[in-house]
Structures are given as structure tokens and as C-alpha cells.
Amino acid sequence: MSLQVAEGGRTARTVAESLGNAHLVVGIPAYNEESAIGSTVLGVQRWADEVVVVDDGSTDRTPAILAQADVTVLRHESNRGKGAAVRTLFAHTRRTDCDALVVLDADGQHDPTDIPTLAEPVVEGDADMVIGSRYLADDARDETPAYRRVGQLVLDYCTSRVTGSDLTDTQSGYRAFSPESLERLSITTDGMGVESEMIDSATNEGLTITERAIDARYENLEGQTHNPVKHGLAVVLFLVRLLKRRRPIPSFSSRNR
């Protein structure tokens, strides 16, 4: 595997060495990812002290493949959604003595060599949540299809308006978390709005959010990819519910009888 050049011209191996004896947990929510879960797990193992896969009720060969892998598997009996899978992952990691949790998608989109780069600000105490941004750097290698990029810009705008954040990639599923953030982040949604909800919760809790540039690929993905239109609509509907949740309930004085 080639080593990515991280920020400042350092390789992933150099960044990993700078983390010293930090205990890293890598978490992977997975649903029907039989084509990619094996290679994804193999790719992240060299960077993790523990790999935890939340099998969200898969009905394909994902459970059988995971049974052969040296990973911790947490299984939902039925498909509950990404938000529910992340909650399960957080609950498990809170019971471990980790210095950082790194979460990435199971479909092969994310490059495992970015794990040390995302974990570094958390381990060094500079951030509570680090978002891997596909658009932070002006990189000609960006493979995001134009129609997806337009949709992501809309979701970035909506999320920023609702949460008050200023981020370049609010929907990235590649993130690192501090132990404190695992305790304080509130995740209520079961669905695909979880990325936006985590930003909103972190902002409300006064947690520090930063971004690091990552690579992502879309062509020749082995795993399952979500319909971008359905995904986008789900996120927008969740943001609308989030706004409604924030509206103050009007008080009415009791009427004289």
C-alpha cells in the first residue's frame, strides 16, 4: 500500500509514529457491504489497536466475512440506520481506554492511510472532533461526480445555517473523536442525518471541531453506495426537524373562568 502524504509533507507512517503509544479504535458502520468490507477491514488494521464493525442487520455475506476477520463485531438484528450504528459504536468505545475513535465508511470510499492524520489533532488535545474533508485542499484528484458535488454544497450550506458551523464538508463520514466528545455528543437520529446532528451537538456543547484534508474515491467502488438523492432528502428533512425542535414553545396564560 502506498503511503499518503499528510499535511506538511509527512507520510501517514510518520504521523502515526508521532502518535506514540496512543490507543486508536477504528469503527466501521456496515450494512450489506459484502463486496468491500473485507478489504476495508484489512486496510485499517495496520493503523488501529482495535477495529470495531457495527453490522447493521446485513442480509448478505457481510456477517460471514466478518466472522473470519480479527475484529470486534457488534450486530443489530435488523437494519436500524447509520445513526443507530454510530450510537452503538460510541457506546462500545466509551467502555474502552482509547485516546481517539476514528470512524469511516465500509464501502471503500475512504483511504485508510488518512487515519493517523485525522487522529493526530485529537490525540494532541487540539480538537474534540476532526472531520475528514474531501474539499479542504485544492486537489485535482478529487473524484466527486459533479451532481454529487452540487448536492453536497446544498447540504453544506443548510447544515452550516442550522448549526452555525463553518465547514467545507459537513457530510463526510470519515471522522475522529476524542473520549470527551463520545461522552457529550447527543445522537438521536437513526438515519443519514447523523453527520449533521453530530456537528450541531458539538457546537452546542462547545466542543472543538476542525477539518483535515482526505482523499476519497467514487469510481469502481466495491461496496454499496447510497442513492445521493434519497440521502440528500433525508438530511434536509432531518435539518428541518432539528429547526422545529429548537423553536420555543409559546406560553399561554390561563384564562379566567
Side-chain angles (χ1 to χ4, degrees), residues 235-251:
V235 174
V236 170
L237 288 174
F238 172 76
L239 289 170
V240 171
R241 290 197 299 271
L242 194 60
L243 277 176
K244 289 182 178 179
R245 188 189 308 169
R246 287 181 175 177
R247 288 181 180 174
I249 300 175
S251 59

Side-chain angles (χ1 to χ4, degrees), residues 12-215:
R13 179 181 295 145
T14 302
V15 177
E17 290 172 352
S18 73
L19 299 180
N21 295 321
H23 186 88
L24 301 185
V25 175
V26 173
I28 308 171
Y31 173 61
N32 287 350
E33 297 286 2
E34 63 180 9
S35 297
I37 191 62
S39 58
T40 299
V41 166
L42 287 174
V44 305
Q45 282 180 320
R46 69 176 298 187
W47 309 108
D49 295 284
E50 181 186 11
V51 178
V52 182
V53 180
V54 179
D55 175 14
D56 190 29
S58 296
T59 56
D60 63 355
R61 294 184 61 252
T62 296
I65 294 170
L66 290 174
Q68 304 300 315
D70 184 20
V71 298
T72 300
V73 180
L74 308 175
R75 177 165 173 79
H76 293 168
E77 290 304 316
S78 60
N79 179 238
R80 294 165 53 189
K82 185 174 183 180
V86 172
R87 277 201 308 274
T88 297
L89 180 58
F90 276 23
H92 170 84
T93 310
R94 283 196 295 266
R95 297 191 292 269
T96 69
D97 186 21
C98 78
D99 294 292
L101 166 68
V102 179
V103 179
L104 73 161
D105 293 340
D107 61 5
Q109 175 189 150
H110 298 138
D111 188 340
T113 61
D114 285 321
I115 289 172
T117 300
L118 294 183
E120 186 179 38
V122 169
V123 172
E124 293 187 349
D126 296 327
D128 295 297
M129 182 165 72
V130 182
I131 299 176
S133 173
R134 295 160 285 186
Y135 316 114
L136 189 62
D138 184 13
D139 195 335
R141 294 174 297 175
D142 178 20
E143 296 182 6
T144 310
Y147 70 94
R148 281 183 177 268
R149 186 66 185 115
V150 171
Q152 286 159 359
L153 284 170
V154 172
L155 294 180
D156 287 342
Y157 174 79
C158 293
T159 299
S160 296
R161 291 287 302 226
V162 172
T163 65
S165 61
D166 183 17
L167 300 164
T168 64
D169 194 355
T170 63
Q171 301 308 302
S172 172
Y174 206 170
R175 303 185 176 196
F177 302 89
S178 69
E180 182 179 4
S181 70
L182 297 179
E183 296 288 346
R184 295 172 60 185
L185 286 175
S186 174
I187 300 175
T188 62
T189 180
D190 286 343
M192 299 304 294
V194 62
E195 275 82 19
S196 294
E197 185 173 29
M198 285 191 286
I199 293 170
D200 182 65
S201 180
T203 302
N204 291 335
E205 288 289 329
L207 298 173
T208 304
I209 308 173
T210 190
E211 294 183 299
R212 289 294 183 270
I214 60 167
D215 280 333

